[in-house]
Amino acid sequence: MSNAAVLGIDIGGSGIKGAPVDLEKGDFAADRLRIPTPTPSTPQAVADVVAEIADAFADKIGDGPIGVTIPAVVTHGVTRSAANIDKSWIDATAEKIFSDRLGRRVHLVNDADAAGIAEVKYGAAKGHPGFVLVTTLGTGIGSALIYRGVLVPNSELGHLEIDGHDAETQAAASIKTNLGLSYSEYVVRLQRYYERVEALFWPDLFVVGGGISKDAEKFLPRLDLKTPIVPAALKNRAGIIGAAWLAADAATHPDPLG
Ligand code: BGC
């Protein structure tokens, strides 16, 4: 890996954010740039914004790969789902669309996988020797499974069916906001969710990210679980840092399945 910083870009529903990442430190090497997400947010329209961000940091990132997150399942560069994004992402050859648009290698990953690996490499679960299960509570629920430092991608535990419902429609942070729930009311939903995930996966540690994790003291201590559960440490930097880490890792360990 060269000394140049690796660009990480986090595609969200309202903003697309990018920064060069110093992978030795696990932190931004320059201030982050945010550009509003275009409407409609098709892969081509988003690729234009990703290109704009890459151009803005051209002098900092050399010619290395760029890591980009998307809130969707990504298998071998193809986006496979679109729970909370434009439906045109389903089965889009998104990594190729981005790479062709930018004229350089882009590595596309699930947003929660990026945030999760960042927490294990640099954040709340740094150097954890066992099984870390990271969840992000936001518009939906994202998840990342990391065992002994290795990510098993696309776990999608926000879509576990619990009590006949898609779990994220009951327990995502957006549900708390949309229904005007108090923390006491929301905790009941989180308890149901995490006890189910715990019973199926038995991690050594839960890490909880997403914007709401800044208020973690209002809900995490009220959960009754067997597994330790801690807030994420990297806050809204996790996706960008994890995307950069995964892009650098993919450059040295290319995907044998394409
Ligand atoms: C999507 C996941 C994503 C999560 C968080 C879910 O609705 O299916 O792919 O990681 O939201 O954005």
Side-chain angles (χ1 to χ4, degrees):
M1 200 181 295
S2 81
N3 289 331
V6 176
L7 183 60
I9 298 180
D10 201 8
I11 300 174
S14 57
I16 300 178
K17 294 140 283 185
V21 177
D22 177 335
L23 292 174
E24 303 249 310
K25 295 193 184 128
D27 205 352
F28 293 176
D31 285 346
R32 164 191 108 136
L33 175 62
R34 178 186 189 280
I35 296 178
T37 305
T39 322
S41 58
T42 59
Q44 286 77 10
V46 168
D48 287 343
V49 176
V50 167
E52 195 178 333
I53 295 176
D55 284 349
F57 292 114
D59 58 330
K60 304 238 169 16
I61 58 174
D63 57 4
I66 292 175
V68 179
T69 77
I70 184 83
V73 170
V74 186
T75 56
H76 317 295
V78 178
T79 40
R80 310 292 297 274
S81 66
N84 296 302
I85 57 174
D86 194 270
K87 300 303 171 212
S88 59
W89 289 89
I90 295 176
D91 292 334
T93 53
E95 195 172 80
K96 183 168 188 315
I97 291 169
F98 285 13
S99 299
D100 289 351
R101 174 68 183 77
L102 272 72
R104 59 191 293 162
R105 197 151 165 223
V106 174
H107 183 61
L108 189 65
V109 297
N110 172 263
D111 58 350
D113 282 344
I117 199 77
E119 292 295 337
V120 169
K121 297 299 171 187
Y122 307 108
K126 184 174 176 181
H128 194 287
F131 177 14
V132 182
L133 202 161
V134 181
T135 53
T136 59
L137 302 174
T139 307
I141 297 180
S143 64
L145 309 184
I146 297 120
Y147 181 61
R148 298 187 174 182
V150 176
L151 171 73
V152 179
N154 296 308
S155 50
E156 293 291 315
L157 301 186
H159 299 296
L160 271 183
E161 186 181 318
I162 302 181
D163 303 328
H165 299 284
D166 183 358
E168 73 173 19
T169 67
Q170 308 298 304
S174 61
I175 304 301
K176 177 182 183 303
T177 309
N178 295 346
L179 299 182
L181 302 177
S182 66
Y183 274 102
S184 302
E185 291 165 326
Y186 185 48
V187 161
V188 175
R189 293 167 178 247
L190 290 179
Q191 175 68 30
R192 185 76 189 109
Y193 179 65
Y194 283 105
E195 71 189 15
R196 190 78 188 120
V197 175
E198 178 177 65
L200 293 172
F201 290 89
W202 294 92
D204 296 306
L205 177 68
F206 279 120
V207 176
V208 180
I212 200 170
S213 67
K214 70 179 185 321
D215 292 327
E217 78 286 351
K218 295 186 181 144
F219 59 96
L220 288 192
R222 295 157 78 175
L223 294 175
D224 180 16
L225 300 166
K226 301 175 183 71
T227 313
I229 184 162
V230 298
L234 302 174
K235 309 291 179 212
N236 61 6
R237 288 173 302 145
I240 291 174
I241 293 173
W245 192 93
L246 288 168
D249 186 60
T252 47
H253 304 95
D255 178 359
L257 300 181

